[in-house]
Amino acid sequence: MANEEIKSTLDGRGYKKPTAKNRLDLLFPFGLAGGFAALLGAAMVDGTSPIAFLNLAALIIVVGGAVSASMVQHPWPIAKRALLIIKWGFYPPHYDPAEFIDEIVDWAKKAKSGGLLSMDALIEGVEDPFMRKGLQMAVDGIESVVILKTLRLRLHTQTEVDMMAASLYEAAGGYAPTFGIMGAVTGLIEVMHHLNDPSTLGTGIAAAFVSTIYGLVLANVICIPTANRLRGVIAEQLVARNVFLDGLAGILRGTNTMELREVLESYYLPKTRTPPPHDTEKSAPLTDMGNAA
């Protein structure tokens, strides 16, 4: 069957579906908004105007200092990667365990019935570049040992780079409170220049300590939680790519699809689910890592 016919058949049966779905995770923006709302709400309860927290000089010292120190600590490729993966906080790649494994098993069935070349039409529908590369290597007829070794090295390298990129935000969170204190000291120095005017001391001291608040908020509401969120996304992606690697290894070896499903499902914790209608094999149910008891 020609590639165009295979592609048409796959589209009709619903095999061509993305391996990862980027969907909006509302917890991230809601968490950020909640942190700021808690601070401003507490201040308003005490009778403090939110305008009292506006201080451009403090913002420049804290944000500029934390960003600069983080850039000094990390090379440009890591900093560039950190800017690219920040979108995962809002739109993380999500791999539904049941659908993902069903898809890999479908690939295995297709490869058994039509050979590895029949998977060529599947590649276009795979969004993950790592998985797309693996399928392309299989279709090109590269030896299975070379494919798996290459992909495992790529996976290790990419995971390390992504983890270092996430650590940039944690580093910024570590520096931010220190620059907040520096901003407070700078503000107090300015206050000392006006000791001959006691009426301005209270306002000056209050403004000086705004930078301390900026530093704490930047660290504990934005940077450190963002770093941990990104690590969670990277961990989920690592599990999914390991599932893909074992699935691809099974496809290359011609492993029985029921045995292949059992192996892949061992990556996820079980829960009750109904087997998909197109698959008559009995299989252990799945769940996300986040749904673990």
Side-chain angles (χ1 to χ4, degrees), residues 41-118:
M44 294 176 67
V45 168
D46 287 338
T48 303
S49 172
I51 298 178
F53 291 100
L54 299 179
N55 189 312
L56 182 59
L59 184 66
I60 293 174
I61 291 176
V62 173
V63 176
V67 170
S68 299
S70 300
M71 292 298 180
V72 171
Q73 180 175 331
H74 296 83
W76 168 243
I78 300 300
K80 181 180 179 181
R81 183 62 180 169
L83 294 175
L84 291 175
I85 67 174
I86 186 61
K87 64 183 179 181
W88 287 352
F90 297 94
Y91 289 94
H94 175 72
Y95 302 81
D96 181 87
E99 293 183 4
F100 184 40
I101 291 177
D102 285 345
E103 185 176 12
I104 294 177
V105 172
D106 285 344
W107 295 346
K109 292 177 180 178
K110 190 62 189 174
K112 274 197 167 188
S113 62
L116 292 176
L117 286 177
S118 65

Side-chain angles (χ1 to χ4, degrees), residues 5-291:
E5 296 175 349
I6 295 175
K7 185 174 180 180
S8 175
T9 302
L10 291 173
D11 287 345
R13 295 180 60 184
Y15 284 171
K16 185 185 175 186
K17 43 187 181 180
T19 49
K21 300 176 182 178
N22 291 73
R23 62 187 186 191
L24 177 62
D25 189 340
L26 295 177
L27 286 179
F28 187 73
F30 281 177
L32 293 176
F36 287 103
L39 174 64
L40 296 177
M44 294 176 67
V45 168
D46 287 338
T48 303
S49 172
I51 298 178
F53 291 100
L54 299 179
N55 189 312
L56 182 59
L59 184 66
I60 293 174
I61 291 176
V62 173
V63 176
V67 170
S68 299
S70 300
M71 292 298 180
V72 171
Q73 180 175 331
H74 296 83
W76 168 243
I78 300 300
K80 181 180 179 181
R81 183 62 180 169
L83 294 175
L84 291 175
I85 67 174
I86 186 61
K87 64 183 179 181
W88 287 352
F90 297 94
Y91 289 94
H94 175 72
Y95 302 81
D96 181 87
E99 293 183 4
F100 184 40
I101 291 177
D102 285 345
E103 185 176 12
I104 294 177
V105 172
D106 285 344
W107 295 346
K109 292 177 180 178
K110 190 62 189 174
K112 274 197 167 188
S113 62
L116 292 176
L117 286 177
S118 65
M119 295 197 302
D120 185 40
L122 298 169
I123 297 175
E124 185 182 345
V126 177
E127 294 184 352
D128 190 318
F130 175 83
M131 299 180 189
R132 193 162 57 243
K133 176 67 175 178
L135 290 175
Q136 186 63 61
M137 293 176 74
V139 170
D140 290 342
I142 300 175
E143 291 187 13
S144 60
V145 174
V146 176
I147 294 176
L148 297 177
K149 183 177 180 179
T150 301
L151 292 179
R152 291 192 191 282
L153 287 174
R154 282 174 176 260
L155 178 59
H156 173 76
T157 303
Q158 188 63 62
T159 302
E160 287 294 317
V161 170
D162 287 345
M163 284 295 186
M164 286 189 287
S167 71
L168 183 145
Y169 294 100
E170 185 175 42
Y175 293 125
T178 302
F179 280 99
I181 294 174
M182 291 173 62
V185 172
T186 303
L188 290 175
I189 292 175
E190 179 64 23
V191 170
M192 294 298 178
H193 291 158
H194 300 86
L195 290 179
N196 58 344
D197 187 4
S199 63
T200 63
L201 292 181
T203 303
I205 293 174
F209 281 107
V210 168
S211 62
T212 304
I213 296 177
Y214 280 4
L216 293 173
V217 170
L218 181 62
N220 297 290
V221 176
I222 301 177
C223 291
I224 296 177
T226 297
N228 291 329
R229 164 59 70 94
L230 293 177
R231 288 194 184 102
V233 173
I234 294 167
E236 181 184 2
Q237 187 177 69
L238 177 61
V239 170
R241 287 178 171 179
N242 274 309
V243 170
F244 167 76
L245 279 177
D246 279 345
L248 183 60
I251 292 173
L252 294 172
R253 289 194 301 263
T255 303
N256 178 275
T257 55
M258 186 169 64
E259 294 178 2
L260 180 61
R261 180 183 291 278
E262 290 294 334
V263 171
L264 301 185
E265 287 181 349
S266 66
Y267 277 93
Y268 299 99
L269 298 180
K271 78 171 183 180
T272 303
R273 82 171 171 99
T274 303
H278 65 275
D279 190 356
T280 58
E281 299 169 357
K282 294 183 179 179
S283 58
L286 305 175
T287 184
D288 275 300
M289 292 183 297
N291 292 334

